[in-house]
Amino acid sequence: MSAPVLEVAGLHQRFGATEVLRDLNLQVRAGERLAVIGPNGAGKSTLFNAISGLVRPSAGHIRLRGQAITSWSVHKRHQLGLARSFQISQLFGQLTVRDHLRCAASWPDGQGYRFWRMLDHQRTLNARVDAWLERLGLAERAADIAAELSYAEQRTLDIGMALTSEAEVLLLDEPTAGMSRSETARFVPLLRELTEGKTLLMVEHDMGVVFELADRIAVLVQGELLACDTPQAIRANPSVQRAYLGQSQGSDA
Ligand SMILES: Nc1ncnc2c1ncn2[C@@H]1O[C@H](COP(=O)(O)OP(=O)(O)OP(=O)(O)O)[C@@H](O)[C@H]1O
């Protein structure tokens, strides 16, 4: 079994008197796809915010590739290979699809100042962006501004930015939220293909998507980890049935 790439240990998150996450322990192995599910208000987004650096945990540790990153900035975490896509797309409406991916492709590099190095750098960058435009199925939309894309294309671009930045660990916050059933059906195989070999942690409400994509599923209820296991074991777990799956299957699955 490979060592965890991402590790959450004894994580607590309080907002004033409210304890939103309680003694959370979670490990994600290299190349694994782990889905976090749970009822509304369970603490899923808060967990993502803590891992990506948007909130500082009240207690506990977060480790990325063995390094304690608990107090690191979002930017520094990104440099170590952690990228996040958001539930609501964080795109710039007037920037083109290509410009979005060019920005994302530039994130990990410190640009050299010598002229020939910059030229070489630009050529490599453009080739990388072209390749990602093809893989994302957005090549024909490259010159269009983000505001003109369909909702599903915007989500693809949002996730494409995380991928183009060459992060190894991706946090995807409800990647299919707001998509129609047919858009979701087209998107899930694409997502699977694009993230092959990456380590994936995702929050997702659509149980069809979760059971299709996830290698393991973590169930969060009222800020505590109820179970973390294979999809088959989670489906058969009576406490999970009671706490979550039973109540959501009618609407989500
Ligand atoms: N900054 C904050 N200050 C105070 N309370 C917060 C803050 N952020 C989240 N909460 C509370 O923490 C609890 C968990 O919220 P969170 O958004 O993490 O849940 P969730 O599982 O992602 O829910 P959903 O599925 O509805 O998105 C909620 O009761 C929420 O009101």
Side-chain angles (χ1 to χ4, degrees):
M1 193 180 291
S2 55
V5 169
L6 181 66
E7 195 176 0
V8 169
L11 195 74
H12 286 259
Q13 187 71 57
R14 287 177 214 98
F15 295 114
T18 315
E19 191 153 43
V20 172
L21 296 177
R22 260 170 260 151
D23 193 25
L24 211 68
N25 296 286
L26 205 59
Q27 298 189 337
V28 194
R29 297 187 283 267
E32 184 179 38
R33 295 188 172 97
L34 180 74
V36 181
I37 66 171
N40 292 335
K44 305 180 295 295
S45 297
T46 305
L47 172 64
F48 260 40
N49 289 343
I51 295 173
S52 56
L54 293 180
V55 296
R56 180 73 62 89
S58 313
H61 299 282
I62 300 165
R63 291 186 195 91
L64 180 64
R65 295 157 139 187
Q67 291 210 51
I69 59 161
T70 322
S71 58
W72 286 22
S73 67
V74 173
H75 178 65
K76 210 168 157 204
R77 288 171 205 226
H78 198 280
Q79 285 181 324
L80 196 61
L82 180 83
R84 174 180 179 171
S85 84
F86 285 82
Q87 196 173 340
I88 311 230
S89 291
Q90 307 279 301
L91 303 175
F92 299 96
Q94 299 307 309
L95 271 190
T96 66
V97 170
R98 179 183 293 282
D99 287 341
H100 275 91
L101 295 184
R102 274 183 63 89
C103 287
S106 310
W107 287 337
D109 309 320
Q111 294 210 18
Y113 287 100
R114 278 184 253 169
F115 179 66
W116 63 88
R117 271 184 60 189
M118 278 181 71
L119 265 184
D120 197 39
H121 177 77
Q122 290 304 319
R123 271 195 290 270
T124 313
L125 204 76
N126 288 337
R128 212 158 89 207
V129 168
D130 284 342
W132 274 110
L133 282 166
E134 286 294 337
R135 288 192 71 190
L136 293 164
L138 291 172
E140 289 184 2
R141 302 292 252 153
D144 295 332
I145 59 169
E148 287 170 356
L149 300 180
S150 71
Y151 185 74
E153 288 171 329
Q154 288 187 358
R155 298 310 311 258
T156 307
L157 178 56
D158 201 26
I159 291 165
M161 288 177 71
L163 290 163
T164 309
S165 75
E166 299 200 335
E168 286 303 317
V169 182
L170 302 171
L171 305 185
L172 304 185
D173 199 352
E174 298 201 37
T176 68
M179 287 190 191
S180 67
R181 276 187 185 275
S182 58
E183 285 173 334
T184 301
R186 280 195 300 275
F187 185 68
V188 169
L190 177 68
L191 187 59
R192 173 184 284 284
E193 184 197 318
L194 293 173
T195 57
E196 201 58 56
K198 303 273 184 189
T199 305
L200 207 71
L201 183 64
M202 64 174 178
V203 167
E204 179 58 63
H205 278 286
D206 184 327
M207 289 304 113
V209 174
V210 168
F211 280 92
E212 205 175 322
L213 276 180
D215 300 314
R216 280 192 306 147
I217 300 173
V219 185
L220 206 57
V221 177
Q222 293 181 351
E224 288 185 43
L225 192 65
L226 185 66
C228 185
D229 216 325
T230 62
Q232 295 85 337
I234 289 294
R235 208 190 280 276
N237 184 318
S239 350
V240 175
Q241 289 280 346
R242 264 194 309 279
Y244 184 53
L245 285 177
Q247 69 170 41
S248 75
Q249 254 164 358
S251 56
D252 288 333

